[in-house]
Amino acid sequence: MNNILVTGGAGYIGSHTSKQLAREGYSAVVFDNIGKGHRWAARWAPLVEGELEDTELLRHTIRSHGVEAVIHFAASACVAESMRDPQRYFRNNVAGTISLLEAIRDTGIRYMVFSSTCATYGCPSAIPITESETQAPVNPYGESKLFVERMLHWHTHAYGLRYVSLRYFNAAGADLDGELGEDHDPETHLIPLTIQTALRQREYLEVFGTDYPTRDGTAIRDYIHVCDLAHAHVSALRYLERGGASDAFNLGTGRGISIREIIECVEEVSQRMVAVREAPRRSGDPKELVADPSKAERLLGWRPRHSDLRNIVETAWNWHRRPGSESCKTPGGFARAAEQRS
């Protein structure tokens, strides 16, 4: 397969993956509503602007570009927001994917790589987390992604669709060439929020929960460099090309990093202090999420190469402080929430 539809390809992980596809000789087309993504981030492939609910536009895009496989990123992806507005998450993430699957079925597409999440595990029984861990989400974001995974399972049985679900842990960092990075509005992810606080674009970083039963009282997550995630999607496509069976894979490093350790690393890289304000825990945030990525290495031939914490923070720091960056412009007000998004 050569022609790939990338839904949400103008977003953070989708744009990095579109660039990697172009590097490896694939011909991609990006489908995005530009609600959270950016036109400038979709420059490695033609951009079709549209909503996932527009099944007819999806069918037309697939047919006119000779699409042979789909990588599906398009979704709402903020744990705290999903707790406040679950209906939005089920509408965007579940109903939107139903429309996409209808278009896939109608046009004969046989392969799909799905952007899932470790949030489907909820509060795991053991660390590190294997793919056999019970999936019991504790927030609507994770629940919506699990619903899609279950739909894909039954589409394999009923329609012959072969898929790979990639359960990310915490995506972080920026393009190694400096051409892409995180640019969310509003920003909710911990590392860019910490960097923006170091740049004095934010008054302080609010840390939710300092009394977890962890080594320093703050939540622990497994941070994976976005370029490693991009490589994983290409590896998943090749796995399906080789005849690989439908399956799910964790994408992480197997190393847990606390919020305090992130702050310390940003301070070291930036040579600036990060002002912190402590706040109570929030519902929907497990204390620790760390991957066992050995299955992806064994079956996909993938392992993280750029995901040491120092490299993650340095690439993100260079992206956020580059001349002319939107990130270098001080926001009108100080945002305060630090998401531990998975």
Side-chain angles (χ1 to χ4, degrees):
M1 63 186 116
N2 184 61
N3 299 329
I4 313 299
L5 178 68
V6 184
T7 69
Y12 173 44
I13 305 172
S15 61
H16 284 78
T17 301
S18 295
K19 179 178 177 178
Q20 189 63 35
L21 287 168
R23 276 183 164 175
E24 301 202 28
Y26 289 89
S27 178
V29 56
V30 168
F31 190 95
D32 201 297
N33 67 3
I34 312 296
K36 296 291 186 181
H38 309 278
R39 290 181 182 85
W40 54 261
R43 61 185 182 272
W44 285 276
L47 170 63
V48 176
E49 290 188 42
E51 301 290 342
L52 275 185
E53 290 82 0
D54 191 341
T55 313
E56 184 51 45
L57 179 58
L58 284 166
R59 290 192 197 99
H60 173 76
T61 301
I62 290 169
R63 288 173 175 143
S64 63
H65 290 271
V67 169
E68 300 164 88
V70 174
I71 302 180
H72 179 32
F73 294 100
S76 298
C78 174
V79 168
E81 182 183 56
S82 79
M83 297 293 284
R84 296 190 300 268
D85 190 3
Q87 182 180 0
R88 176 182 179 185
Y89 276 69
F90 292 113
R91 182 177 62 248
N92 291 355
N93 299 0
V94 177
T97 303
I98 290 172
S99 171
L100 175 63
L101 287 171
E102 183 177 337
I104 285 172
R105 188 175 68 253
D106 291 346
T107 54
I109 299 296
R110 300 296 300 275
Y111 309 106
M112 179 169 162
V113 178
F114 173 54
S115 167
S116 192
T117 171
C118 67
T120 63
Y121 295 119
C123 297
S125 62
I127 298 293
I129 303 167
T130 68
E131 289 83 356
S132 61
E133 174 69 39
T134 300
Q135 291 177 282
V138 294
N139 53 64
Y141 166 64
E143 195 75 62
S144 70
K145 291 286 191 173
L146 178 56
F147 197 102
V148 173
E149 286 199 22
R150 288 173 172 161
M151 287 197 295
L152 291 174
H153 167 79
W154 291 112
H155 274 67
T156 291
H157 283 270
Y159 309 117
L161 176 69
R162 283 199 287 124
Y163 71 90
V164 166
S165 288
L166 297 176
R167 296 172 187 161
Y168 310 162
F169 283 64
N170 280 56
D175 178 45
L176 301 176
D177 301 325
E179 295 180 301
L180 293 166
E182 286 194 79
D183 191 359
H184 301 121
D185 183 19
E187 185 56 71
T188 60
H189 292 182
L190 177 62
I191 290 178
L193 283 173
T194 307
I195 288 172
Q196 290 172 5
T197 307
L199 289 168
R200 305 296 181 262
Q201 295 164 11
R202 298 178 183 275
E203 186 179 7
Y204 52 82
L205 177 74
E206 193 161 40
V207 176
F208 294 100
T210 58
D211 60 347
Y212 285 100
T214 60
R215 55 182 173 264
D216 63 17
T218 62
I220 290 175
R221 296 292 184 267
D222 187 337
Y223 291 85
I224 181 79
H225 197 286
V226 65
C227 290
D228 284 328
L229 290 178
H231 280 280
H233 288 81
V234 177
S235 296
L237 282 177
R238 289 180 172 157
Y239 165 84
L240 291 171
E241 283 182 298
R242 295 192 303 268
S246 296
D247 212 338
F249 299 89
N250 289 338
L251 298 183
T253 66
R255 300 185 304 273
I257 300 169
S258 74
I259 293 177
R260 292 196 193 278
E261 289 164 343
I262 292 288
I263 295 168
E264 289 170 4
C265 189
V266 170
E267 289 180 333
E268 289 174 6
V269 168
S270 67
Q271 293 296 295
R272 303 184 185 195
M273 294 295 296
V274 174
V276 171
R277 181 169 175 174
E278 297 180 356
R281 302 185 201 180
R282 296 173 308 183
S283 61
D285 279 338
K287 68 168 184 175
E288 185 173 8
L289 293 170
V290 178
D292 177 348
S294 59
K295 182 179 174 181
E297 181 172 359
R298 186 174 68 254
L299 296 182
L300 301 184
W302 172 89
R303 57 190 174 95
R305 300 178 184 275
H306 308 290
S307 294
D308 61 280
L309 179 57
R310 181 83 182 199
N311 187 56
I312 286 174
V313 171
E314 284 181 346
T315 57
W317 171 254
N318 291 336
W319 164 259
H320 283 280
R321 69 189 295 269
R322 73 199 190 286
S325 167
E326 287 297 313
S327 299
C328 290
K329 299 175 184 178
T330 302
F334 293 114
R336 300 179 295 181
E339 272 308 313
Q340 294 113 40
R341 184 244 168 172
S342 302

